[in-house]
Amino acid sequence: DAGVTQSPTHLIKTRGQQVTLRCSPKSGHDTVSWYQQALGQGPQFIFQYYEEEERQRGNFPDRFSGHQFPNYSSELNVNALLLGDSALYLCASSLNTNNEQFFGPGTRLTVL
Amino acid sequence: AQSVSQHNHHVILSEAASLELGCNYSYGGTVNLFWYVQYPGQHLQLLLKYFSGDPLVKGIKGFEAEFIKSKFSFNLRKPSVQWSDTAEYFCAVSGGFQKLVFGTGTRLLVSP
């Protein structure tokens, strides 16, 4: 049973560029959440997708957007990258009926 | 707004010592409480969770936590730590099927 997978593992971008991160949920899960973990901090909630719609959003600007596909996989897009966007981006999946979230290994984004 | 406080940022213990990590939360409604662990080089893993019922919950690897509603606390305990418990520990709270709000984490170093 595959767990949550994310791609790519690492990514280096320059300021102003755009990036897309991908996530495949654990088998059987229908809900995907995205978190940003800055160095030395706990994960911060970005948004959550269920039934291909953004269900809840954290305190992140509109430069952060996402999508969920019919197979429940998800993408996180960040436009106009800033140095401060450098972080580990975590995807977590869960069942809509149960808030136990399973995390992927993350994508390490470095913005130069 | 929900918030989580972890009072111990760094903890150093010798093997076989007892562990208690503090976690206090702020939330006005019914909460779900979690402890996650991040071993070096690995992704976040769920240690234990509290949704309802018995306030003393047992998790994997001998960890347990006690939910004390009157104190808004969910402290993590282990009677005897091992070198392999060296990791970063995160407390998180959620109000139902919603986002997880994490604390800043506690880095535990267990010396052999």
Side-chain angles (χ1 to χ4, degrees), chain A residues 2-107:
Chain A
V4 180
T5 59
Q6 293 185 243
S7 63
T9 306
H10 296 88
L11 205 51
I12 299 175
K13 293 284 188 179
T14 57
R15 281 178 296 174
Q17 285 189 311
Q18 178 265 342
V19 68
T20 297
L21 310 182
R22 295 176 176 82
C23 170
S24 292
K26 180 178 170 64
S27 178
H29 285 181
D30 55 10
T31 303
V32 173
S33 302
W34 286 91
Y35 295 82
Q36 181 195 67
Q37 187 177 15
L39 206 59
Q41 301 295 317
Q44 299 288 317
F45 176 78
I46 303 175
F47 42 53
Q48 184 179 82
Y49 276 84
Y50 172 66
E51 291 189 337
E52 302 179 49
E53 291 193 358
E54 183 183 289
R55 178 160 69 175
Q56 192 175 12
R57 188 178 184 92
N59 189 25
F60 279 80
D62 292 345
R63 298 187 297 109
F64 289 76
S65 63
H67 189 78
Q68 186 179 35
F69 299 93
N71 67 352
Y72 307 116
S73 67
S74 178
E75 287 182 350
L76 164 66
N77 300 291
V78 187
N79 294 323
L81 284 167
L82 303 174
L83 296 179
D85 295 332
S86 295
L88 180 68
Y89 288 85
L90 298 169
C91 171
S93 73
S94 57
L95 274 171
N96 178 50
T97 54
N98 181 324
N99 198 26
E100 183 174 335
Q101 297 186 24
F102 290 77
F103 283 81
T107 294

